């Protein structure tokens, strides 16, 4: 028996022919025929995230034509529509503010229009979780089509320069006076030689890779560089497959199981993935109704080795990663090591079957599990009197950093240092070079007021560089702590995503400059060594100030958002799940 699609409630309601005529009227006047809309074929949405405002995703403007061809070939009717744009490097005060806005808008589109299934076009950091969160809430068949990274970047010869990562590394050289401002700009420009998202293992590559690890895209989709012909072919195949998924009624709730999320956590560690993966995966899980706890990142991810030699944790960039085998080759290693679970995927096959034949071809980029780039490369999940939960990315701990801060004989993995506290990034930039702070290589830089409420939206500002005087001495990083995030392209081993944040009364609110902080990676503890009576007295002084809301959305976001440990979701939204089970009311 042919499945009756939800779009039939718009175009084939025998009880309300007046409504059917009204629904069809304008679509007939543009592109579609009466016969098509009444045919019973599935209407497939193409959620378009590409625009001039979102250059990382702009390739989808061209790819959408190939998706359409695949949909038509398979017997579906394509319907393209825009998604609220999110560009990580362009949006102020932070792109994270708009992840939930894009999510909410996409929920309304998928629920309120005659769409039976959807292709989610993703790329730049927040577009992937926003689209997956919305698909999880509405729960119609959905598949991710990544836009892919840009081509590898070069600067002054054969030196690979990765988007984002080069900014953090070159700003240190600029502060030391080793390069001019013009060289700084040219190096950054050289890191982006084509369309596509960041060519490093930043948040974009991470989240598109994890969409594949979750089973929400076709095998091999994530790593194909945007300009490659293979990317166009993948768009066509995705169009074909989403029509099949519509007929099969294969929905996000079937694919996004707890086992799928545990696969994603393990894959993130092996990739050397971004710390932004933690709140984004937590948010997707929350919206599909799967329990995922911060401690799961420690339990299922911490002991997984780093297998991918890709910036910022390694040497290579996106093209090298794709040619070596991409995400399937990394997951093949994890499968062989017994660290993956066989899950349902968008291909219609199990994950284990998808990975057959995908052993890596480039071992200088994707290392064998038995001989990894580094051991135990996952996140350390931390707690203490400064926060209930925070994480630290261990794969970017450099030998120099480990030797300086984490190698005291008999006390390895433990460090105590004097806190230097900043209230937001403006305060940091204004005072980091102030001699009165007496910052030396034993200090710990702390930034607060940067979480979902305080910023608002949670900003990528925790990867603070040392003062110029220390940079000139060759000290490229200090221990840093914050209630915000940092770019996935950053190579700083920060303690971040601290929850609860200072703006809602987290422990960072009561910290003061010159307090001593003890960091114990072995026990997963981070504590201010402050007398309890002093700590309680500080609470009476009230919370640190943070900037007032500047737009209606900022105010609404602050009123509804949760903390990063739980995904930074809109608390009121999490209760809405599988909303497509109910057909919306007629509009006339």
């Amino acid at each position: 028996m042919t499945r009756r699609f939800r779009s039939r409630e718009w175009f084939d309601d025998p009880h309300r022919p007046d409504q059917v005529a009204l629904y069809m009227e304008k679509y007939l006047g543009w592109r579609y025929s009466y016969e098509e809309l009444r045919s019973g074929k599935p209407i497939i949405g193409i959620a378009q995230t590409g625009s001039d405002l979102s250059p990382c995703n702009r390739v989808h403007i061209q790819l959408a034509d190939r998706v359409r061809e695949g949909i038509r070939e398979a017997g579906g009717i394509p319907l393209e529509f825009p998604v609220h744009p999110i560009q990580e490097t362009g949006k102020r005060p932070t792109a994270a503010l708009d992840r939930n806005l894009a999510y909410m808008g996409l929920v309304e589109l998928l629920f309120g229009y005659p769409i039976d299934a959807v292709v989610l076009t993703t790329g730049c950091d927040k577009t992937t979780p926003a689209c997956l969160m919305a698909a999880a809430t509405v729960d119609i068949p959905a598949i991710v089509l990544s836009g892919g990274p840009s081509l590898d970047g070069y600067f002054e010869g054969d030196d690979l320069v990765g988007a984002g990562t080069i900014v953090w590394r070159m700003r240190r050289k600029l502060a030391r006076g080793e390069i001019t401002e013009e060289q700084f700009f040219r190096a950054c420009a050289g890191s982006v030689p084509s369309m596509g998202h960041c060519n490093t293992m930043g948040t974009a590559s991470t989240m598109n890779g994890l969409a594949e690890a979750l089973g929400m895209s076709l095998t091999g989709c994530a790593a194909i560089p945007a300009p490659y012909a293979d990317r166009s072919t993948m768009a066509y195949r995705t169009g074909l497959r989403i029509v099949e998924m519509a007929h099969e009624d294969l929905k996000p709730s079937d694919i996004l199981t707890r086992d799928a999320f545990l696969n994603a956590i393990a894959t993130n560690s092996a990739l050397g993935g971004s710390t932004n993966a933690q709140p984004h995966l937590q948010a997707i899980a929350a919206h599909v109704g799967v329990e995922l706890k911060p401690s799961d990142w420690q339990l299922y991810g911490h002991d997984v080795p780093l297998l991918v030699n890709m910036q910022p944790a390694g040497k290579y960039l996106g093209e090298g990663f794709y040619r070596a085998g991409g995400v399937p080759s990394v997951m093949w290693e994890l499968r062989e090591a017994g660290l993956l679970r066989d899950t349902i995927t968008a291909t219609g096959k199990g994950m284990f079957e998808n990975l057959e034949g995908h052993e890596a071809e480039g071992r200088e980029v994707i290392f064998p599990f038995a001989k990894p780039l580094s051991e135990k490369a996952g996140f350390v999940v931390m707690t203490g009197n400064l926060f209930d939960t925070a994480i630290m990315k261990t794969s970017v701990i450099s030998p120099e950093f480990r030797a300086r801060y984490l190698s005291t004989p008999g006390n390895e993995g433990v460090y105590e240092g004097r806190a230097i506290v900043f209230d937001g990034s403006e305060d940091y930039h204004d005072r980091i070079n102030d001699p009165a702070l007496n910052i030396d290589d034993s200090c710990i830089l702390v930034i607060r007021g940067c979480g979902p409420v305080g910023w608002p939206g949670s900003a990528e500002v925790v990867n603070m560089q040392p003062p110029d005087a220390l940079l000139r001495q060759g000290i490229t990083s200090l221990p840093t702590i914050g209630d915000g995030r940092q770019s996935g392209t950053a190579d700083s081993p920060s303690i971040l995503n601290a929850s609860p944040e200072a703006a809602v009364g987290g422990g960072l609110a009561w910290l003061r400059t010159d307090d001593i902080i003890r960091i114990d990676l072995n026990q997963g503890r981070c504590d201010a060594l402050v007398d309890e009576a002093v700590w309680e007295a500080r609470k009476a002084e009230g919370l640190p100030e943070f900037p007032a809301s500047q737009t209606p959305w900022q105010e609404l976001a602050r009123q509804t958002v949760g903390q990063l440990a739980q995904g930074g979701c809109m608390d009121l939204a999490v209760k809405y799940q599988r909303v497509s089970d109910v057909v919306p009311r007629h509009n006339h």
Side-chain angles (χ1 to χ4, degrees), residues 280-303:
H280 292 330
L281 276 188
Q282 294 287 148
I284 298 165
H287 284 293
V288 80
V290 169
E291 183 182 17
L292 196 66
K293 297 176 288 188
S295 59
D296 287 330
W297 290 84
Q298 179 88 23
L299 185 59
Y300 297 99
H302 176 258
D303 291 344

Side-chain angles (χ1 to χ4, degrees), residues 383-428:
T383 191
N385 64 5
L386 292 175
F387 42 74
D388 292 342
T389 303
I391 61 173
M392 182 180 186
K393 180 178 177 179
T394 60
S395 63
V396 292
I397 298 177
S398 67
E400 185 275 335
F401 187 94
R402 186 174 296 278
R404 184 182 296 275
Y405 300 111
L406 301 172
S407 299
T408 302
N411 215 21
E412 291 83 358
V414 179
Y415 179 71
E416 291 184 9
R418 181 170 65 94
I420 308 294
V421 182
F422 300 102
D423 286 300
S425 65
E426 295 85 358
D427 184 33
Y428 160 75

